[in-house]
């Protein structure tokens, strides 16, 4: 079997298991932990998910990372992306309005976790380094920010595809106000037979 076919088989098997987990257990911290473990198992094949397969953007351009769609159901549920980043960037604190799981393939991504404060801001409550063998999981209202120093490749999976998420909030620290992320406009199609 060639690498592309093997990659497709492994992705399809993981997503099939994840559909079953959500169907049986619903969306809870426990079920998201099971989904995370299943994605960690998928990520344990870095030979199938290389930067040659999923190149980061050109250095010096406007983008710091490329998001590749590697699975998504016809109804836009269970969207799985490979994120290939150059590093040297981060995001503000934000929510997802659907469940979200990130696991590492290569490189390291720092995740910071936040609570909302009564003054309308955020307070950091912890952090976790996502790398090969680890991951983080978020309920729809949970807040995090991500920080990347060096090149990395990781998986981001969402209960619903990013283009369908129109109310994702992020915190503008300098202005102490919340705003809505614009719809993601540059997701690359990387599903077998669809690119
Ligand atoms: Fe996020």
């Amino acid at each position: 079997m060639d690498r592309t076919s093997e990659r497709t088989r492994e992705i399809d098997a993981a997503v099939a298991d994840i559909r079953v987990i959500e169907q049986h257990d619903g969306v809870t911290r426990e079920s998201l932990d099971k989904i995370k473990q299943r994605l960690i198992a998928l990520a344990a094949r870095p030979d199938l998910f290389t930067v040659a397969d999923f190149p980061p953007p050109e250095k010096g351009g406007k983008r710091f990372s490329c998001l590749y769609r590697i699975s998504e159901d016809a109804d836009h549920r269970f969207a799985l992306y490979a994120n290939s980043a150059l590093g040297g960037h981060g995001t503000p604190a934000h929510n997802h309005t659907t469940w979200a799981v990130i696991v590492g393939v290569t490189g390291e991504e720092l995740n910071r976790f936040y609570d909302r404060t009564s003054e309308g801001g955020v307070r950091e409550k912890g952090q976790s380094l996502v790398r090969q063998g680890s991951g983080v999981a978020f309920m729809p209202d949970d807040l995090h920010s991500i920080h990347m120093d060096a090149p990395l490749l990781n998986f981001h999976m969402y209960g619903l595809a990013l283009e369908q998420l129109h109310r994702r909030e992020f915190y503008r620290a300098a202005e102490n106000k919340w705003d809505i992320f614009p719809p993601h406009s540059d997701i690359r199609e990387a599903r077998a037979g669809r690119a």
Side-chain angles (χ1 to χ4, degrees):
M1 184 183 293
D2 65 32
R3 282 178 72 253
T4 303
S5 303
E6 191 177 9
R7 182 164 59 227
T8 301
R9 186 192 65 184
E10 292 298 318
I11 292 168
D12 289 351
V15 174
D17 288 346
I18 288 166
R19 281 191 206 99
V20 170
I21 293 168
E22 203 214 66
Q23 196 174 15
H24 284 183
D25 297 2
V27 178
T28 66
R29 299 216 181 268
E30 292 73 26
S31 69
L32 294 185
D33 191 61
K34 289 184 190 174
I35 290 171
K36 181 177 83 175
Q37 295 304 329
R38 186 61 186 87
L39 285 175
I40 286 172
L42 178 65
R45 290 293 308 275
D47 57 308
L48 295 178
F49 302 95
T50 70
V51 289
D53 299 313
F54 303 100
E58 296 277 321
K59 279 185 187 159
K62 268 195 259 176
R63 289 202 164 271
F64 290 97
S65 63
C66 286
L67 208 53
Y68 295 88
R69 184 193 337 272
I70 58 176
S71 191
E72 183 180 314
D73 286 4
D75 60 359
H76 307 297
R77 301 258 7 251
F78 301 102
L80 177 58
Y81 307 95
N83 185 46
S84 185
L86 290 169
H89 70 295
T91 71
H94 63 275
N95 64 10
H96 302 96
T97 68
T98 185
W99 61 258
V101 176
I102 304 170
V103 306
V105 181
T106 53
E108 295 184 335
E109 176 187 289
L110 177 66
N111 272 250
R112 298 181 190 275
F113 312 126
Y114 303 90
D115 281 327
R116 290 177 192 258
T117 66
S118 52
E119 295 80 38
V122 297
R123 180 184 303 114
E124 187 176 334
K125 62 176 176 181
Q127 36 178 269
S128 179
L129 200 58
V130 171
R131 61 206 298 186
Q132 171 68 226
S134 71
V136 288
F138 302 99
M139 296 291 278
D141 293 332
D142 288 346
L143 299 170
H144 81 140
S145 63
I146 60 178
H147 309 272
M148 295 160 261
D149 291 335
L152 67 83
L153 184 69
N154 57 17
F155 293 147
H156 288 231
M157 189 164 194
Y158 300 89
L160 189 61
L162 277 170
E163 296 100 325
Q164 313 298 317
L165 306 177
H166 303 296
R167 300 295 304 167
R168 287 194 305 145
E169 295 175 283
F170 71 97
Y171 179 60
R172 291 187 184 275
E175 298 147 70
N176 187 30
K177 68 180 240 232
W178 292 83
D179 211 339
I180 304 291
F181 271 133
H184 206 295
S185 60
D186 189 28
I187 295 170
R188 293 152 200 230
E189 182 56 62
R191 290 175 288 181
R194 308 230 201 169

